[in-house]
Every structure is written in structure tokens, then in C-alpha cells.
Amino acid sequence: MLDATSQATRPEHAPSDHPAIPAEKIGILLANLGTPDNYDYWSMRRYLSEFLSDRRVIDYPAWKWQPLLQLVILSKRPFTSGAAYKSIWNEEQGESPLMTITKDQTAAISKVMQGKYGDRVMVDFCMRYGNPSTRSKLRRMVEAGCRRILFVPLYPQQAGATSATANDAFFRALMDEKWQPAVRTIPAYFDHPKYIEALAQSVERTYAQMDTKPDMLVCSYHGMPKRYLMEGDPYHCQCQKNTRLLKERLGWDDSRICTTFQSVFGTEEWLRPYTVEHVAELAKAGKKNIAVIAPAFAADCIETLEEINEEIRESFEEAGGERFTYIPCLNDEPAHIDALCDVIETELKGWIEPA
């Protein structure tokens, strides 16, 4: 991470007892969903409690939801979720793949920003749930002299349960600051030409290595209750457009690509079709060779490495599917970093220009 901190100095003409103030700079704070500190029961329980207590994620009344969450769900789910995390854990670095990849993305973006703006910017990352917290990283940036901060939730599509709740945490953290910086947030970037190009390149790169091309590319997005769509959340429409733009860039027709939604939770209806069911239907319909990509995720995580590559793969194979290919998230691929930097630089206009 690029740490553009510099020695603080007393302002010119200020009295001798005036506190020193660091040189003014711009902060770029990336944000991802979050990760437990470990996969043991109590680490998982802390993380899941914070995540599932977010009213943007589960909007049931607290009096109804919290007893069920704390007394029933969190007595069992930390064990199953912990086992899932253990199966993908980066043991060498003692962290989840999401943490490792987010660090790599931050370092790559920092390198680009440093090359263009030098020590006038500071780049770091935070997590909406778990550590490092949004509040701690905002505090660090303010202490380092960031008088303007661009907040960058790493979600291509806008949704209440993802980018909106990340923004909520950022704005709440601002309430603790006596000297509040000027702030901006980025818009959804699912339709950014460079993002679509990066997705297309990842598909083409995977297909080029295959002797027999897949019968179907399944674009699996994280799900949400259908009710959220009816209440005005733009996520579903942006997912559909994301798939269409990818299809057009690849030069395909509708018979080769589809949109589905994964990670269904609870009893109410969620956005359909459900990925885990649809891949089985594809296999039964004779499409024995499929590929799955996850355009809603900026980094591989539990929902891709474990859910897609294990649970959803199993559903496909049990229904008669023969070849299942998971196309990794864009992670720190150069084309992805280029797309994210283009989004960031657009939002920095008027604040700073390249050196």
C-alpha cells in the first residue's frame, strides 16, 4: 500500500503551541465486503454476527431477527461456514483469499497512482465487516493529512446490501472526525468499457485453452430477495445489462450465455433463476459442458472458491454434467487494475492532476 504520510509541521504564522499539521494530500480508500480473522468458531461467529446484523443485508425487524440470529443461526452456522473457509484458507499468510487478493489489488493500484501523482495521494483498503475496519482506515488517512478522500467500494453493480452499506459505514465513520475531509464515492462501474473488456478477455483466455468450447457461459451474480428489486434496488437490472454487454463484446447470441443468481438465504423468494438449480437444468437439457463466471465479485472469495467451485459444480455433475469450468474473478489482473484505475481517475478530476 502506498503510504504518503509525511512529517507534520506547524503552520506558518501559527503560535508556538499550535499542533503540527501533516501536509495535505488525497486519500483513495478501497473497500471490500470483509472476512473473518480465522475460521474457528468464535472468529466466525463475530464476523457472521456483524454481517447478518446489517439492516441493509437482512432488513427484518430487530426484535424478530436478532433472537433467531443469536440463539439459533449463530449456534450452528459458524461451524459450517468455518469448514467452508478452512477449505480455501491461505494458510501460508494466515488469511482468507479475499484478504490476500484485496492486498494485491491495493498494491497494484497504489503503484499506478504513485506513478501519476507521487506522494500527493495515499492508497489503502478497508473491509465493511471484520478487519481492517472502515473507521480505523479513515482515521489513519485523516491523521496522515488527507483532506479529500475518494471512497471506492469494489462492487461493479450498485446494491443496497453491498456498495450502499459500505458507503453507510464510511459516512458513519466520518461522524467521529472533528476535521472532516471532503469526500466522494464512485458510481457503479459494471458498464465501464474497460471493465467489460477485462471480463471478455478472461473468458477468451479460458476458452482458448480448451479443446471443446463450453455449451453455455453462466454469469452467476450474488443473489438478493426479489422484494429488494420491487422496492427500487437497481442491482438486478445492472446484472442483466452487464451480461448483455459482455455478450455483445464477445460477439455471441443469447444461446451461449445466461444470467443466474446464487447464495440464496432464508425462505422468501430471491432473484431467479438460482444458479445451483439452473446448472442442473442445463445438464439435464443436454448442455454437458459449461463455464461459470462471477461478474459481481471483484475478488475471489468464499462465494466463488467454495460455493461455485464446489456446491454449484456438484449440482451440475450430479445432474449429468460432464465438464464444469470456473473462470476466476478478475482479481489483480492487469486489465482489471487498469479498469479500476480509470474509474478512480475519473472521480479524482478537479481534485488532482498527474504530476
Side-chain angles (χ1 to χ4, degrees):
M1 285 152 296
L2 174 58
D3 187 351
T5 56
S6 58
Q7 187 172 359
T9 58
R10 181 170 56 85
E12 188 178 1
H13 307 304
S16 59
D17 62 348
H18 193 287
I21 298 176
E24 184 174 324
K25 57 184 66 69
I26 290 173
I28 301 168
L29 184 57
L30 312 176
N32 215 324
L33 178 74
T35 170
D37 295 324
N38 210 319
Y39 48 76
D40 62 276
Y41 175 83
W42 289 109
S43 294
M44 290 302 311
R45 184 178 178 112
R46 284 192 300 273
Y47 174 73
L48 290 171
S49 180
E50 182 182 9
F51 174 46
L52 296 175
S53 294
D54 186 348
R55 292 295 301 276
R56 289 276 198 179
V57 176
I58 306 292
D59 65 352
Y60 301 145
W63 66 266
K64 181 178 182 181
W65 173 244
Q66 282 299 321
L68 176 62
L69 174 64
Q70 300 298 330
L71 300 177
V72 179
I73 295 173
L74 292 181
S75 66
K76 300 178 180 179
R77 187 157 178 173
F79 291 110
T80 56
S81 294
Y85 268 98
K86 184 177 181 180
S87 71
I88 65 168
W89 201 254
N90 182 344
E91 296 289 357
E92 183 177 343
Q93 297 190 37
E95 60 192 23
S96 73
L98 178 66
M99 179 68 76
T100 303
I101 294 166
T102 304
K103 287 179 178 178
D104 291 343
Q105 291 171 327
T106 304
I109 292 172
S110 297
K111 184 177 180 180
V112 175
M113 294 297 115
Q114 185 176 30
K116 293 190 175 185
Y117 306 110
D119 62 2
R120 295 179 293 162
V121 298
M122 176 181 179
V123 183
D124 208 341
F125 77 94
C126 64
M127 297 294 183
R128 171 61 183 88
Y129 313 105
N131 298 306
S133 69
T134 304
R135 176 169 276 102
S136 68
K137 288 304 181 80
L138 172 64
R139 180 92 283 276
R140 182 170 179 266
M141 283 191 161
V142 170
E143 289 177 342
C146 294
R147 298 292 168 250
R148 295 180 174 88
I149 296 177
L150 175 64
F151 188 61
V152 185
L154 293 172
Y155 303 105
Q157 305 83 20
Q158 200 280 329
T162 55
S163 46
T165 190
N167 289 335
D168 289 346
F170 178 63
F171 294 135
R172 279 195 295 269
L174 282 171
M175 295 171 66
D176 294 335
E177 300 300 327
K178 289 183 171 60
W179 190 345
Q180 286 186 330
V183 300
R184 292 175 179 173
T185 64
I186 66 164
Y189 58 90
F190 69 96
D191 55 353
H192 192 288
K194 287 190 175 182
Y195 176 68
I196 296 299
E197 180 63 26
L199 282 177
Q201 287 181 17
S202 72
V203 173
E204 291 171 338
R205 190 163 52 245
T206 300
Y207 276 38
Q209 300 171 355
M210 305 172 74
D211 296 331
T212 304
K213 302 300 183 286
D215 302 313
M216 180 69 71
L217 174 65
V218 178
C219 295
S220 181
Y221 298 85
H222 198 288
M224 68 166 54
K226 182 179 179 181
R227 172 170 52 86
Y228 291 10
L229 165 64
M230 307 312 292
E231 292 171 349
D233 195 298
Y235 178 72
H236 177 265
C237 298
Q238 292 181 359
C239 292
Q240 295 287 356
K241 185 176 180 180
N242 198 156
T243 299
R244 176 175 63 80
L245 292 173
L246 176 59
K247 177 193 69 174
E248 291 171 355
R249 161 56 183 81
L250 291 169
W252 293 357
D253 59 36
D254 291 339
S255 67
R256 299 181 62 185
I257 189 170
C258 64
T259 297
T260 63
F261 298 91
Q262 63 183 86
S263 308
V264 177
F265 177 80
T267 58
E268 67 177 303
E269 184 177 2
W270 281 43
L271 299 177
R272 290 181 179 272
Y274 299 155
T275 305
V276 70
E277 296 177 357
H278 194 67
V279 295
E281 293 168 359
L282 289 173
K284 293 174 182 177
K287 296 187 183 299
K288 306 295 186 180
N289 179 357
I290 68 170
V292 179
I293 192 171
F297 298 91
D300 275 308
C301 55
I302 193 73
E303 284 86 357
T304 63
L305 298 175
E306 195 277 334
E307 185 179 359
I308 290 179
N309 220 9
E310 294 183 24
E311 178 186 347
I312 292 170
R313 175 192 293 271
E314 183 177 300
S315 175
F316 175 69
E317 292 176 346
E318 287 182 351
E322 298 172 359
R323 186 170 182 179
F324 182 101
T325 301
Y326 170 60
I327 300 176
C329 291
L330 296 177
N331 298 326
D332 62 341
E333 286 288 333
H336 188 210
I337 298 303
D338 184 45
L340 290 173
C341 286
D342 201 65
V343 171
I344 289 169
E345 288 185 79
T346 296
E347 301 308 316
L348 288 177
K349 288 180 179 178
W351 276 3
I352 191 171
E353 299 298 332

